[in-house]
Amino acid sequence: MTATAEQAQPKTIQLADYRVPDFFIDSVALNFELDEANTLVSSVMQVRRNNEATGNALILNGRDLELVSVKIDGHLLDAGEYELETEMLRIPSVPSTFKLEIATRIHPQDNTSLGGLYTSGGNFCTQCEAEEFRKITYYLDRPDVMAKFVTTISADKTKYPVLLSNGNLIDKGESENGRHWAKWEDPFPKPSYLFALVAGDLACIKDSFVTMSGRTVDLHVYVQHHNTDKCEHAMRSLKKSMAWDEKVYGREYDLDLYMIVA
């Protein structure tokens, strides 16, 4: 076996090696200025130190990113105030609680890994499981860091009339140069590997489901236009699945909207 093949083998991670995160992220506001060649991603995070942790420095995961800027509580850090490595951004000195702002530039059309944010079939897509969110922005990309996400997406309206992300759509509008935007809010904390974004020219098949408490949940299935006649079974299966969850587990879907992108 060559050295290259050995390096390609997945690393075994033992439970005994686990240690709690040094910091938590309570909320993150993401802004995407979508462009096939150069997408600007801006994040605003509310960060706090974990009292049970032993580390002092903030160490964020990142891969294939172009760092544009870093701010802590509005202060723009210069190159001497952080350390940038191939897959890590390290800030040696941070307060116990603070606002962290990071801007990165990524290149979706050149991303052939199918991880992070990439283009496929004329659409923008994401795949963040298991550790691919770090290809979007610098972050504590681990499943035990749970944050509430608000995501604003801006794109060319003609090429990408549909802009989707996690949670509920809370606002949308028009902007200059033929672009438009949509703002999504997920009110429930989640790990970064569950983050999702889709932008494209997609058809939407709509239905609804009434939960056991009487709430109406909108159901949307998004597909390429030539596949709209193939969605009836998927929608019927979704409604039966939601009813089954309620009957068997007593679990009611908790958002106003359920979306599938195929």
Side-chain angles (χ1 to χ4, degrees):
M1 181 180 293
T2 65
T4 302
E6 290 175 354
Q7 293 171 357
Q9 297 302 309
K11 180 182 177 182
T12 300
I13 300 175
Q14 304 291 341
L15 180 60
D17 297 330
Y18 173 81
R19 65 171 229 171
V20 297
D22 293 331
F23 293 86
F24 293 114
I25 300 174
D26 293 320
S27 65
V28 53
L30 292 168
N31 186 81
F32 290 82
E33 293 290 337
L34 291 182
D35 179 83
E36 297 89 344
N38 294 288
T39 289
L40 182 65
V41 182
S42 303
S43 68
V44 179
M45 296 169 275
Q46 297 297 327
V47 186
R48 59 183 169 90
R49 189 182 302 276
N50 181 0
N51 293 330
E52 299 179 9
T54 57
N56 294 317
L58 175 65
I59 300 175
L60 302 175
N61 308 110
R63 185 184 303 151
D64 302 329
L65 300 174
E66 179 185 340
L67 180 63
V68 177
S69 64
V70 184
K71 293 181 181 180
I72 291 182
D73 290 333
H75 167 66
L76 179 64
L77 303 189
D78 60 38
E81 294 178 282
Y82 60 84
E83 301 168 13
L84 189 60
E85 298 184 6
T86 304
E87 296 193 8
M88 182 189 75
L89 172 63
R90 183 177 186 273
I91 307 175
S93 178
V94 295
S96 296
T97 61
F98 57 97
K99 180 173 73 172
L100 176 64
E101 300 175 71
I102 296 179
T104 57
R105 187 173 287 109
I106 54 179
H107 315 288
Q109 70 181 12
D110 298 327
N111 181 4
T112 58
S113 69
L114 303 185
L117 177 69
Y118 59 94
T119 57
S120 176
N123 303 306
F124 284 93
C125 309
T126 58
Q127 167 58 44
C128 295
E129 192 173 359
E131 295 182 336
E132 301 295 281
F133 186 80
R134 63 191 64 187
K135 292 182 178 179
I136 294 175
T137 188
Y138 288 98
Y139 197 78
L140 291 171
D141 192 13
R142 48 188 291 170
D144 53 357
V145 174
M146 310 272 281
K148 295 181 179 180
F149 280 69
V150 175
T151 304
T152 303
I153 309 164
S154 171
D156 182 283
K157 185 177 181 179
T158 301
K159 296 171 67 175
Y160 308 104
V162 174
L163 307 174
L164 308 175
S165 191
N166 303 79
N168 297 316
L169 179 65
I170 59 172
D171 204 358
K172 62 180 179 178
E174 308 285 329
S175 49
E176 297 178 353
N177 302 320
R179 296 175 70 85
H180 69 141
W181 57 271
K183 187 174 185 178
W184 296 84
E185 179 183 34
D186 191 340
F188 305 107
K190 67 174 183 289
S192 54
Y193 74 83
L194 290 178
F195 176 79
L197 180 154
V198 171
D201 184 6
L202 301 170
C204 181
I205 291 82
K206 299 181 179 180
D207 205 329
S208 62
F209 177 82
V210 179
T211 69
M212 58 186 180
S213 68
R215 288 190 309 111
T216 298
V217 177
D218 292 327
L219 308 178
H220 292 178
V221 177
Y222 291 89
V223 293
Q224 293 170 305
H225 291 273
H226 63 273
N227 287 324
T228 55
D229 61 338
K230 303 174 183 176
C231 299
E232 181 182 351
H233 175 72
M235 184 66 79
R236 189 166 61 248
S237 298
L238 171 59
K239 296 174 73 171
K240 288 184 176 181
S241 296
M242 297 177 79
W244 187 84
D245 281 342
E246 293 185 347
K247 179 180 179 180
V248 176
Y249 296 111
R251 297 300 301 270
E252 179 178 306
Y253 185 67
D254 47 15
L255 295 173
D256 302 327
L257 174 63
Y258 191 107
M259 296 181 291
I260 297 174
V261 180

